[in-house]
Amino acid sequence: MAGHGGLRGLHLAELTRAVGISKPYFYTFFDSLEDFTLQLMEEQRSRLLRLLEQELARPEGSWEEHVEAFFRTILRHRDNGILVMTQREEADLHSRLTPERFQDFRPGQRAFFLRVMELLEIRPEACQPEVLANLVFSCVLIYNSAPESMPFFFPAHLEETAELHVKFLVRYLASLRGGQESR
């Protein structure tokens, strides 16, 4: 829908034309394009949980290999049909949300990361879900945003950097399994 421009380039007319509906029909389901985007993000979270469940259920491979594969799927979001916003897209969406609407969105984020932790066998006492969220977001945002909005990064080395981020993140998560306290 938004082409290579991501969500920042998405306009209601383009969206309704792409799915073959009128603007009034769109508004029977969503209050705004921002509401649509937030709903899309909710759906993506459900999809990511299913992907994690499927990955962890695979009989071959270790826990670490499964978790690495899951995070690589998120990093390669464009190849896997997953919505991941750039830093600019997040800032743009946030600027158009009312503070109340943003606060209504927050519990879903926390619930998502609590469920991820549950699937990964990490108790909330070992790591706050918000900390896990920040760790995951920082890895994904750097990989996704550096070419566009972080000019001091070295784009030719983003793949290697992302691989290291994933390995460090998985190593950290592995240390939390079984409820060890975070340091």
Side-chain angles (χ1 to χ4, degrees):
M1 283 176 279
H4 296 306
L7 289 175
R8 193 178 50 189
L10 181 63
H11 300 282
L12 183 57
E14 181 184 359
L15 173 65
T16 56
R17 187 173 42 255
V19 295
I21 63 171
S22 66
K23 286 183 185 180
Y25 190 66
F26 173 88
Y27 285 116
T28 62
F29 297 100
F30 304 101
D31 292 333
S32 65
L33 191 55
E34 290 77 21
D35 186 48
F36 168 79
T37 304
L38 291 175
Q39 180 63 38
L40 182 60
M41 291 169 68
E42 291 286 338
E43 302 232 357
Q44 288 297 302
R45 287 196 293 238
S46 295
R47 182 166 180 239
L48 287 170
L49 289 173
R50 285 191 306 277
L51 287 171
L52 179 57
E53 289 170 343
Q54 291 168 356
E55 183 61 44
L56 290 170
R58 287 188 323 112
E60 66 281 347
S62 67
W63 180 91
E64 288 83 358
E65 290 168 331
H66 293 304
V67 178
E68 281 185 24
F70 172 71
F71 285 119
R72 281 191 196 103
T73 298
I74 295 171
L75 284 176
R76 308 288 185 276
H77 60 92
R78 287 182 183 97
D79 299 335
N80 296 300
I82 298 168
L83 169 67
V84 175
M85 292 186 286
T86 65
Q87 184 180 11
R88 286 183 182 164
E89 288 168 339
E90 282 194 12
D92 181 55
L93 176 60
H94 183 263
S95 73
R96 291 188 275 148
L97 294 174
T98 64
E100 297 80 21
R101 183 68 175 115
F102 183 68
Q103 287 308 314
D104 289 346
F105 179 72
R106 280 292 203 202
Q109 281 185 300
R110 188 173 200 284
F112 169 76
F113 282 98
L114 278 170
R115 180 65 180 137
V116 167
M117 291 170 63
E118 180 183 327
L119 291 170
L120 297 177
E121 302 170 5
I122 298 170
R123 294 192 333 246
E125 303 83 45
C127 176
Q128 293 294 315
E130 295 85 357
V131 171
L132 176 59
N134 285 347
L135 289 169
V136 172
F137 290 154
S138 63
C139 177
V140 172
L141 277 174
I142 288 171
Y143 180 76
N144 197 38
S145 300
E148 167 187 307
S149 63
M150 301 169 122
F152 291 103
F153 275 78
F154 294 91
H157 296 278
L158 280 177
E159 292 296 325
E160 182 180 355
T161 304
E163 282 297 317
L164 289 169
H165 275 148
V166 167
K167 287 187 181 303
F168 292 143
L169 179 59
V170 171
R171 190 173 302 137
Y172 174 67
L173 294 175
S175 77
L176 299 176
R177 284 183 76 202
Q180 294 178 346
E181 291 299 316
S182 63
R183 300 177 264 287

